[in-house]
Amino acid sequence: MRRLIKVFKQFSNKPLLSPSAGLSSVSKCSVEGHENKGDTGRLLVCGSSAVVLEKVRGQVEVQEDFISEDEELALLKELEPGLKKKRYEFDHWDDAIHGYRETERLQWTALCEAVLGRVRGVAFPKDSQLLGPVHVLDLDKAGYIKPHIDSIKFCGSTIAGLSLLSDSVMRLVSEDNASDWLDLLLPRRSLYILRNHARFHFTHEILKDEESFFSGKKVPRHRRISVICRNLPT
Ligand code: OGA
Ligand code: MN
């Protein structure tokens, strides 16, 4: 599964104008993403400017409470036994992901399959060919995902992920201009979708607990499991 993603090494050394430069704990979003408040009216997407928000309009979505507590429990019950047999990986310095274990799953119980059917229904274009197995990524409390772009060879236009167990912050940074960035608040049980330009021309990352702030507010990062659906390139 690691072949699906490639780290942007330049992001690890170079000081950036973006919040990746270590300002994340204090930086507030300069513009609020008014278009993307959840059903509760909560702000879920914000960015460095109105221009960057406009650039990815319709290509970045967070849907709060996409799954119920019972559905989250059903997914966990199905995934935990397999994950527990694996160790968290911490030591691969060039890995895009730090402190993780992962698996893929093709067959699901009916309840989980129904949830995934809903994800597919809202996230992917109707004629999309999906990547068969669903990717399951279990991040330890100390784990995080470095900035990367998913392989354009193996994955298509759309990435859709459910977040289980913990809230987290996903940061998107423009490949062309590191001062163009977006932060997504991913509440536990939410669904996020990245499409097209936002998926191909922005790196995405999941912030480590120490840096996990959204619009200036701490978002404690606990152990987090994501269930990620992707389509195939056309
Ligand atoms: C990945 C990735 C995000 C997530 O595995 O490529 O970006 O929500 N995961 O876990
Ligand atoms: Mn990715």
Side-chain angles (χ1 to χ4, degrees), residues 31-211:
V31 174
E32 295 193 341
H34 291 289
E35 314 95 319
N36 209 332
K37 290 192 171 173
D39 290 343
T40 54
R42 188 139 78 119
L43 179 70
L44 298 170
V45 179
C46 63
S48 53
S49 71
V51 174
V52 73
L53 284 166
E54 187 52 38
K55 222 185 217 174
V56 299
R57 184 200 279 276
Q59 302 175 16
V60 173
E61 262 182 60
V62 182
Q63 297 194 23
E64 201 166 11
D65 288 322
F66 188 82
I67 60 171
S68 68
E69 289 183 21
D70 286 350
E71 289 168 333
E72 180 187 39
L73 214 62
L75 287 163
L76 290 169
K77 208 172 135 195
E78 185 147 351
L79 296 170
E80 276 285 28
L83 289 170
K84 278 210 172 117
K85 291 189 192 131
K86 305 186 178 208
R87 275 186 309 114
Y88 287 107
E89 310 267 349
F90 279 97
D91 310 326
H92 307 293
W93 62 271
D94 65 340
D95 241 345
I97 311 186
H98 182 84
Y100 72 99
R101 50 193 183 184
E102 65 183 342
T103 186
E104 294 176 329
R105 182 171 284 252
L106 205 49
Q107 300 286 340
W108 299 82
T109 58
L111 183 56
C112 296
E113 191 53 49
V115 168
L116 292 167
R118 255 166 45 222
V119 172
R120 294 179 187 121
V122 302
F124 296 95
K126 281 285 161 285
D127 52 354
S128 250
Q129 293 254 49
L130 300 190
L131 202 71
V134 173
H135 179 198
V136 177
L137 184 67
D138 178 351
L139 274 186
D140 180 73
K141 177 169 174 56
Y144 57 94
I145 306 180
K146 298 174 195 171
H148 68 278
I149 293 177
D150 288 27
S151 162
I152 57 165
K153 198 163 146 201
F154 298 108
C155 321
S157 62
T158 306
I159 302 165
L162 294 168
S163 299
L164 315 181
L165 293 176
S166 177
D167 297 350
S168 60
V169 178
M170 178 178 271
R171 175 160 299 151
L172 271 59
V173 179
S174 165
E175 243 193 323
D176 307 325
N177 180 0
S179 60
D180 285 346
W181 53 266
L182 301 152
D183 278 350
L184 280 56
L185 176 62
L186 305 181
R188 177 177 186 178
R189 293 187 295 276
S190 66
L191 172 73
Y192 70 83
I193 307 169
L194 305 180
R195 300 184 172 98
N196 303 327
H197 191 77
R199 172 260 186 276
F200 289 115
H201 299 291
F202 284 71
T203 59
H204 56 272
E205 62 194 289
I206 294 284
L207 303 183
K208 59 177 82 165
D209 182 48
E210 304 93 275
E211 295 172 3

